[in-house]
Amino acid sequence: MEAGLSTIRAGMRAVVMQVQGEPGLTKRLWQIGIKPGTVVYCRYRSPGGRIVVLEFRDRKMALRTKDLRRVRAALSMYF
């Protein structure tokens, strides 16, 4: 199922398909490793849903869901 990465839930994995949006945000996401082909694992989602902790490329990073709305990904419970 393809959706915005902002909809990922704790315990789910996803493959990044596309990063779109304003050039500054796109560049920042690419620099930290969120780019097409990257497999991400959601470690934690805050109770309010504003912060998501993703694990990818041997690192963990907390990101705002408003930034992750610009990232299209294939979500799955099983990878």
Side-chain angles (χ1 to χ4, degrees):
M1 170 176 96
E2 191 171 322
L5 195 54
S6 63
T7 63
I8 196 168
R9 301 284 179 225
M12 293 179 77
R13 292 187 189 275
V15 177
V16 175
M17 305 301 281
Q18 181 181 27
V19 181
Q20 50 190 223
E22 63 183 66
L25 175 61
T26 301
K27 182 179 178 182
R28 184 172 70 89
L29 290 172
W30 274 64
Q31 287 175 337
I32 63 173
I34 302 287
K35 51 186 151 185
T38 302
V39 176
V40 298
Y41 176 73
C42 183
R43 285 282 178 193
Y44 173 79
R45 186 174 180 94
S46 69
R50 292 184 179 170
I51 301 294
V52 175
V53 176
L54 297 177
E55 183 176 338
F56 57 96
R57 300 182 187 258
D58 296 327
R59 71 181 98 186
K60 292 178 190 156
M61 188 161 295
L63 298 163
R64 298 178 297 192
T65 54
K66 76 176 195 174
D67 293 339
L68 295 177
R69 286 188 194 117
R70 304 292 183 194
V71 180
R72 302 295 299 168
L75 304 175
S76 177
M77 291 292 289
Y78 314 101
F79 263 86

Short mmCIF file of all heavy atoms in Angstrom, two decimals, residues 24-71:
data_model
loop_
_atom_site.label_atom_id
_atom_site.label_comp_id
_atom_site.label_asym_id
_atom_site.label_seq_id
_atom_site.Cartn_x
_atom_site.Cartn_y
_atom_site.Cartn_z
N GLY A 24 14.12 23.06 -0.22
CA GLY A 24 14.89 23.02 1.03
C GLY A 24 14.59 21.78 1.86
O GLY A 24 15.51 21.12 2.37
N LEU A 25 13.32 21.45 1.98
CA LEU A 25 12.92 20.26 2.75
C LEU A 25 13.38 18.99 2.04
O LEU A 25 13.91 18.07 2.66
CB LEU A 25 11.41 20.23 2.96
CG LEU A 25 10.86 18.98 3.64
CD1 LEU A 25 11.45 18.81 5.03
CD2 LEU A 25 9.35 19.03 3.69
N THR A 26 13.18 18.94 0.73
CA THR A 26 13.61 17.77 -0.05
C THR A 26 15.10 17.53 0.10
O THR A 26 15.53 16.40 0.34
CB THR A 26 13.24 17.96 -1.54
OG1 THR A 26 11.83 18.14 -1.63
CG2 THR A 26 13.65 16.77 -2.36
N LYS A 27 15.88 18.59 0.01
CA LYS A 27 17.34 18.47 0.14
C LYS A 27 17.72 17.97 1.53
O LYS A 27 18.57 17.09 1.67
CB LYS A 27 18.00 19.83 -0.12
CG LYS A 27 19.49 19.79 -0.04
CD LYS A 27 20.10 21.15 -0.34
CE LYS A 27 21.60 21.10 -0.20
NZ LYS A 27 22.21 22.43 -0.43
N ARG A 28 17.06 18.50 2.56
CA ARG A 28 17.37 18.08 3.94
C ARG A 28 17.04 16.61 4.15
O ARG A 28 17.83 15.86 4.73
CB ARG A 28 16.61 18.94 4.95
CG ARG A 28 16.96 18.64 6.40
CD ARG A 28 16.34 19.63 7.34
NE ARG A 28 14.90 19.49 7.42
CZ ARG A 28 14.27 18.70 8.29
NH1 ARG A 28 14.97 17.98 9.13
NH2 ARG A 28 12.97 18.63 8.30
N LEU A 29 15.88 16.17 3.66
CA LEU A 29 15.51 14.76 3.80
C LEU A 29 16.50 13.85 3.06
O LEU A 29 16.89 12.80 3.56
CB LEU A 29 14.08 14.53 3.32
CG LEU A 29 12.99 15.14 4.20
CD1 LEU A 29 11.62 15.02 3.54
CD2 LEU A 29 12.97 14.49 5.57
N TRP A 30 16.90 14.25 1.85
CA TRP A 30 17.89 13.46 1.10
C TRP A 30 19.21 13.40 1.85
O TRP A 30 19.86 12.36 1.90
CB TRP A 30 18.10 14.05 -0.29
CG TRP A 30 17.11 13.56 -1.30
CD1 TRP A 30 15.76 13.77 -1.29
CD2 TRP A 30 17.38 12.76 -2.44
NE1 TRP A 30 15.19 13.16 -2.37
CE2 TRP A 30 16.15 12.54 -3.09
CE3 TRP A 30 18.54 12.23 -2.99
CZ2 TRP A 30 16.06 11.78 -4.25
CZ3 TRP A 30 18.44 11.50 -4.15
CH2 TRP A 30 17.21 11.26 -4.76
N GLN A 31 19.64 14.53 2.45
CA GLN A 31 20.92 14.56 3.17
C GLN A 31 20.93 13.63 4.38
O GLN A 31 21.97 13.06 4.70
CB GLN A 31 21.24 15.99 3.62
CG GLN A 31 21.67 16.88 2.48
CD GLN A 31 21.86 18.32 2.93
OE1 GLN A 31 21.31 18.78 3.92
NE2 GLN A 31 22.66 19.04 2.16
N ILE A 32 19.79 13.46 5.05
CA ILE A 32 19.77 12.57 6.21
C ILE A 32 19.54 11.11 5.82
O ILE A 32 19.62 10.23 6.65
CB ILE A 32 18.75 13.01 7.28
CG1 ILE A 32 17.32 12.96 6.75
CG2 ILE A 32 19.11 14.38 7.83
CD1 ILE A 32 16.27 13.24 7.80
N GLY A 33 19.22 10.87 4.53
CA GLY A 33 19.08 9.50 4.06
C GLY A 33 17.68 9.06 3.68
O GLY A 33 17.47 7.91 3.34
N ILE A 34 16.71 9.97 3.74
CA ILE A 34 15.35 9.65 3.32
C ILE A 34 15.26 9.93 1.82
O ILE A 34 15.06 11.06 1.40
CB ILE A 34 14.30 10.49 4.08
CG1 ILE A 34 14.42 10.30 5.58
CG2 ILE A 34 12.89 10.18 3.60
CD1 ILE A 34 13.94 8.98 6.10
N LYS A 35 15.48 8.89 1.02
CA LYS A 35 15.43 9.02 -0.44
C LYS A 35 14.90 7.73 -1.04
O LYS A 35 14.81 6.71 -0.34
CB LYS A 35 16.78 9.39 -1.01
CG LYS A 35 17.93 8.53 -0.57
CD LYS A 35 19.21 9.12 -1.10
CE LYS A 35 20.38 8.82 -0.21
NZ LYS A 35 21.59 9.47 -0.64
N PRO A 36 14.49 7.74 -2.30
CA PRO A 36 13.91 6.54 -2.91
C PRO A 36 14.79 5.30 -2.72
O PRO A 36 16.01 5.36 -2.89
CB PRO A 36 13.78 6.92 -4.39
CG PRO A 36 13.60 8.40 -4.35
CD PRO A 36 14.49 8.87 -3.23
N GLY A 37 14.13 4.21 -2.33
CA GLY A 37 14.82 2.95 -2.11
C GLY A 37 15.20 2.69 -0.67
O GLY A 37 15.53 1.57 -0.30
N THR A 38 15.15 3.71 0.18
CA THR A 38 15.50 3.55 1.59
C THR A 38 14.40 2.79 2.33
O THR A 38 13.23 3.13 2.22
CB THR A 38 15.70 4.92 2.27
OG1 THR A 38 16.72 5.64 1.57
CG2 THR A 38 16.09 4.77 3.72
N VAL A 39 14.79 1.76 3.07
CA VAL A 39 13.85 1.02 3.91
C VAL A 39 13.89 1.63 5.30
O VAL A 39 14.96 1.80 5.88
CB VAL A 39 14.22 -0.48 3.98
CG1 VAL A 39 13.28 -1.23 4.92
CG2 VAL A 39 14.20 -1.10 2.60
N VAL A 40 12.72 2.01 5.81
CA VAL A 40 12.63 2.61 7.14
C VAL A 40 11.76 1.74 8.04
O VAL A 40 10.85 1.06 7.57
CB VAL A 40 12.07 4.05 7.09
CG1 VAL A 40 12.97 4.96 6.30
CG2 VAL A 40 10.67 4.08 6.54
N TYR A 41 12.06 1.76 9.32
CA TYR A 41 11.30 1.02 10.33
C TYR A 41 10.84 2.03 11.38
O TYR A 41 11.64 2.82 11.88
CB TYR A 41 12.18 -0.04 10.97
CG TYR A 41 11.50 -0.79 12.09
CD1 TYR A 41 10.51 -1.73 11.83
CD2 TYR A 41 11.86 -0.57 13.41
CE1 TYR A 41 9.88 -2.41 12.85
CE2 TYR A 41 11.24 -1.26 14.44
CZ TYR A 41 10.26 -2.17 14.16
OH TYR A 41 9.63 -2.85 15.17
N CYS A 42 9.56 2.04 11.70
CA CYS A 42 9.03 2.97 12.68
C CYS A 42 9.20 2.39 14.08
O CYS A 42 8.56 1.41 14.44
CB CYS A 42 7.56 3.27 12.40
SG CYS A 42 6.86 4.48 13.54
N ARG A 43 10.06 3.00 14.88
CA ARG A 43 10.31 2.57 16.25
C ARG A 43 9.26 3.11 17.22
O ARG A 43 8.89 2.46 18.18
CB ARG A 43 11.68 3.05 16.71
CG ARG A 43 12.81 2.30 16.15
CD ARG A 43 12.92 1.02 16.90
NE ARG A 43 13.99 0.21 16.36
CZ ARG A 43 14.15 -1.04 16.64
NH1 ARG A 43 13.30 -1.64 17.45
NH2 ARG A 43 15.11 -1.74 16.13
N TYR A 44 8.81 4.35 16.99
CA TYR A 44 7.94 5.01 17.96
C TYR A 44 7.14 6.11 17.25
O TYR A 44 7.64 6.75 16.33
CB TYR A 44 8.80 5.63 19.07
CG TYR A 44 8.04 6.48 20.05
CD1 TYR A 44 7.31 5.90 21.07
CD2 TYR A 44 8.09 7.86 19.97
CE1 TYR A 44 6.62 6.69 21.99
CE2 TYR A 44 7.40 8.65 20.87
CZ TYR A 44 6.67 8.06 21.88
OH TYR A 44 5.98 8.83 22.78
N ARG A 45 5.94 6.31 17.71
CA ARG A 45 5.11 7.42 17.25
C ARG A 45 4.55 8.09 18.50
O ARG A 45 3.97 7.42 19.36
CB ARG A 45 3.99 6.90 16.37
CG ARG A 45 3.17 7.99 15.73
CD ARG A 45 2.16 7.39 14.75
NE ARG A 45 1.38 8.43 14.15
CZ ARG A 45 1.67 9.00 12.99
NH1 ARG A 45 2.72 8.61 12.31
NH2 ARG A 45 0.92 9.96 12.51
N SER A 46 4.73 9.39 18.63
CA SER A 46 4.29 10.09 19.84
C SER A 46 2.77 10.00 19.99
O SER A 46 2.04 9.85 19.00
CB SER A 46 4.72 11.55 19.79
OG SER A 46 4.01 12.25 18.79
N PRO A 47 2.26 10.08 21.22
CA PRO A 47 0.82 9.97 21.45
C PRO A 47 0.00 10.99 20.63
O PRO A 47 -1.06 10.68 20.15
CB PRO A 47 0.67 10.22 22.95
CG PRO A 47 1.97 9.79 23.52
CD PRO A 47 3.00 10.16 22.48
N GLY A 48 0.53 12.18 20.46
CA GLY A 48 -0.17 13.19 19.66
C GLY A 48 0.04 13.00 18.17
O GLY A 48 -0.61 13.63 17.36
N GLY A 49 0.99 12.14 17.81
CA GLY A 49 1.25 11.86 16.41
C GLY A 49 2.11 12.88 15.69
O GLY A 49 2.29 12.80 14.49
N ARG A 50 2.70 13.82 16.42
CA ARG A 50 3.50 14.86 15.76
C ARG A 50 4.93 14.44 15.48
O ARG A 50 5.58 15.00 14.61
CB ARG A 50 3.49 16.13 16.59
CG ARG A 50 2.15 16.78 16.63
CD ARG A 50 2.20 18.07 17.37
NE ARG A 50 0.87 18.67 17.37
CZ ARG A 50 0.56 19.70 18.10
NH1 ARG A 50 1.45 20.26 18.89
NH2 ARG A 50 -0.66 20.19 18.05
N ILE A 51 5.43 13.47 16.25
CA ILE A 51 6.82 13.02 16.12
C ILE A 51 6.84 11.52 15.85
O ILE A 51 6.11 10.76 16.47
CB ILE A 51 7.63 13.31 17.40
CG1 ILE A 51 7.63 14.81 17.71
CG2 ILE A 51 9.05 12.78 17.29
CD1 ILE A 51 8.35 15.68 16.71
N VAL A 52 7.70 11.12 14.91
CA VAL A 52 7.89 9.71 14.58
C VAL A 52 9.38 9.42 14.67
O VAL A 52 10.20 10.19 14.15
CB VAL A 52 7.38 9.42 13.14
CG1 VAL A 52 7.68 7.99 12.75
CG2 VAL A 52 5.90 9.69 13.03
N VAL A 53 9.74 8.32 15.34
CA VAL A 53 11.14 7.90 15.39
C VAL A 53 11.31 6.78 14.36
O VAL A 53 10.69 5.73 14.48
CB VAL A 53 11.56 7.42 16.79
CG1 VAL A 53 12.99 6.91 16.78
CG2 VAL A 53 11.39 8.55 17.80
N LEU A 54 12.15 7.05 13.36
CA LEU A 54 12.40 6.08 12.30
C LEU A 54 13.81 5.54 12.43
O LEU A 54 14.73 6.27 12.79
CB LEU A 54 12.25 6.74 10.93
CG LEU A 54 10.87 7.27 10.57
CD1 LEU A 54 10.92 7.96 9.21
CD2 LEU A 54 9.84 6.16 10.57
N GLU A 55 13.96 4.27 12.10
CA GLU A 55 15.28 3.65 12.04
C GLU A 55 15.56 3.33 10.57
O GLU A 55 14.74 2.70 9.91
CB GLU A 55 15.31 2.38 12.87
CG GLU A 55 16.68 1.74 12.92
CD GLU A 55 16.72 0.53 13.84
OE1 GLU A 55 15.87 0.42 14.74
OE2 GLU A 55 17.61 -0.30 13.62
N PHE A 56 16.70 3.79 10.08
CA PHE A 56 17.10 3.54 8.70
C PHE A 56 18.60 3.77 8.57
O PHE A 56 19.18 4.56 9.29
CB PHE A 56 16.34 4.47 7.73
CG PHE A 56 16.51 5.94 8.00
CD1 PHE A 56 17.46 6.68 7.32
CD2 PHE A 56 15.74 6.57 8.95
CE1 PHE A 56 17.63 8.02 7.58
CE2 PHE A 56 15.89 7.91 9.22
CZ PHE A 56 16.84 8.65 8.54
N ARG A 57 19.20 3.00 7.69
CA ARG A 57 20.64 3.12 7.42
C ARG A 57 21.48 3.15 8.71
O ARG A 57 22.34 4.00 8.90
CB ARG A 57 20.93 4.35 6.56
CG ARG A 57 20.25 4.31 5.22
CD ARG A 57 20.60 5.52 4.39
NE ARG A 57 19.82 5.56 3.18
CZ ARG A 57 20.29 5.20 1.99
NH1 ARG A 57 21.52 4.80 1.84
NH2 ARG A 57 19.50 5.27 0.93
N ASP A 58 21.18 2.24 9.62
CA ASP A 58 21.92 2.09 10.89
C ASP A 58 21.86 3.32 11.79
O ASP A 58 22.80 3.61 12.51
CB ASP A 58 23.38 1.71 10.62
CG ASP A 58 23.50 0.36 9.96
OD1 ASP A 58 22.67 -0.51 10.25
OD2 ASP A 58 24.42 0.18 9.14
N ARG A 59 20.79 4.05 11.74
CA ARG A 59 20.61 5.20 12.65
C ARG A 59 19.14 5.34 13.02
O ARG A 59 18.27 4.82 12.33
CB ARG A 59 21.13 6.48 12.03
CG ARG A 59 20.28 6.98 10.88
CD ARG A 59 20.82 8.23 10.28
NE ARG A 59 21.55 7.82 9.10
CZ ARG A 59 22.27 8.60 8.36
NH1 ARG A 59 22.40 9.85 8.66
NH2 ARG A 59 22.90 8.16 7.31
N LYS A 60 18.88 6.06 14.09
CA LYS A 60 17.52 6.37 14.52
C LYS A 60 17.38 7.88 14.50
O LYS A 60 18.28 8.60 14.92
CB LYS A 60 17.24 5.84 15.92
CG LYS A 60 17.22 4.34 15.99
CD LYS A 60 16.99 3.87 17.40
CE LYS A 60 17.22 2.37 17.45
NZ LYS A 60 17.56 1.92 18.77
N MET A 61 16.22 8.34 14.02
CA MET A 61 16.03 9.77 13.91
C MET A 61 14.56 10.11 14.19
O MET A 61 13.66 9.44 13.70
CB MET A 61 16.42 10.23 12.52
CG MET A 61 16.43 11.71 12.37
SD MET A 61 17.39 12.23 10.94
CE MET A 61 19.03 11.71 11.38
N ALA A 62 14.36 11.17 14.96
CA ALA A 62 13.00 11.67 15.22
C ALA A 62 12.69 12.73 14.18
O ALA A 62 13.47 13.67 13.97
CB ALA A 62 12.92 12.27 16.62
N LEU A 63 11.55 12.57 13.52
CA LEU A 63 11.14 13.50 12.47
C LEU A 63 9.71 13.95 12.71
O LEU A 63 8.90 13.21 13.28
CB LEU A 63 11.25 12.84 11.10
CG LEU A 63 12.65 12.42 10.70
CD1 LEU A 63 12.60 11.43 9.55
CD2 LEU A 63 13.46 13.62 10.31
N ARG A 64 9.39 15.14 12.25
CA ARG A 64 8.03 15.67 12.38
C ARG A 64 7.14 15.06 11.30
O ARG A 64 7.56 14.93 10.15
CB ARG A 64 8.03 17.19 12.24
CG ARG A 64 8.85 17.88 13.32
CD ARG A 64 8.86 19.35 13.13
NE ARG A 64 9.51 19.67 11.85
CZ ARG A 64 9.87 20.88 11.48
NH1 ARG A 64 9.62 21.91 12.26
NH2 ARG A 64 10.45 21.09 10.33
N THR A 65 5.93 14.71 11.67
CA THR A 65 5.01 14.13 10.68
C THR A 65 4.68 15.13 9.59
O THR A 65 4.44 14.73 8.45
CB THR A 65 3.71 13.60 11.32
OG1 THR A 65 3.12 14.64 12.09
CG2 THR A 65 3.98 12.41 12.19
N LYS A 66 4.69 16.42 9.89
CA LYS A 66 4.39 17.41 8.84
C LYS A 66 5.46 17.38 7.74
O LYS A 66 5.15 17.64 6.59
CB LYS A 66 4.20 18.80 9.41
CG LYS A 66 5.43 19.53 9.82
CD LYS A 66 5.09 20.94 10.28
CE LYS A 66 6.32 21.80 10.33
NZ LYS A 66 6.02 23.18 10.63
N ASP A 67 6.69 17.03 8.08
CA ASP A 67 7.74 16.88 7.06
C ASP A 67 7.59 15.56 6.31
O ASP A 67 7.87 15.49 5.11
CB ASP A 67 9.12 16.95 7.70
CG ASP A 67 9.43 18.33 8.26
OD1 ASP A 67 8.79 19.31 7.83
OD2 ASP A 67 10.30 18.43 9.14
N LEU A 68 7.14 14.53 7.00
CA LEU A 68 7.00 13.22 6.38
C LEU A 68 5.80 13.14 5.43
O LEU A 68 5.71 12.20 4.64
CB LEU A 68 6.89 12.14 7.45
CG LEU A 68 8.14 11.94 8.31
CD1 LEU A 68 7.88 10.90 9.38
CD2 LEU A 68 9.33 11.57 7.46
N ARG A 69 4.92 14.12 5.47
CA ARG A 69 3.78 14.13 4.52
C ARG A 69 4.26 14.26 3.08
O ARG A 69 3.56 13.90 2.15
CB ARG A 69 2.84 15.29 4.85
CG ARG A 69 2.01 15.04 6.06
CD ARG A 69 0.95 16.11 6.24
NE ARG A 69 0.42 16.00 7.58
CZ ARG A 69 0.53 16.95 8.51
NH1 ARG A 69 1.10 18.08 8.24
NH2 ARG A 69 0.04 16.75 9.72
N ARG A 70 5.44 14.77 2.88
CA ARG A 70 6.01 14.99 1.55
C ARG A 70 6.69 13.74 0.99
O ARG A 70 7.17 13.75 -0.12
CB ARG A 70 7.02 16.13 1.57
CG ARG A 70 6.47 17.41 2.09
CD ARG A 70 5.46 17.96 1.13
NE ARG A 70 4.97 19.24 1.60
CZ ARG A 70 3.90 19.80 1.11
NH1 ARG A 70 3.21 19.20 0.17
NH2 ARG A 70 3.48 20.95 1.56
N VAL A 71 6.74 12.68 1.79
CA VAL A 71 7.43 11.46 1.38
C VAL A 71 6.41 10.38 1.07
O VAL A 71 5.62 9.99 1.94
CB VAL A 71 8.39 10.97 2.50
CG1 VAL A 71 9.11 9.71 2.07
CG2 VAL A 71 9.38 12.07 2.87
#
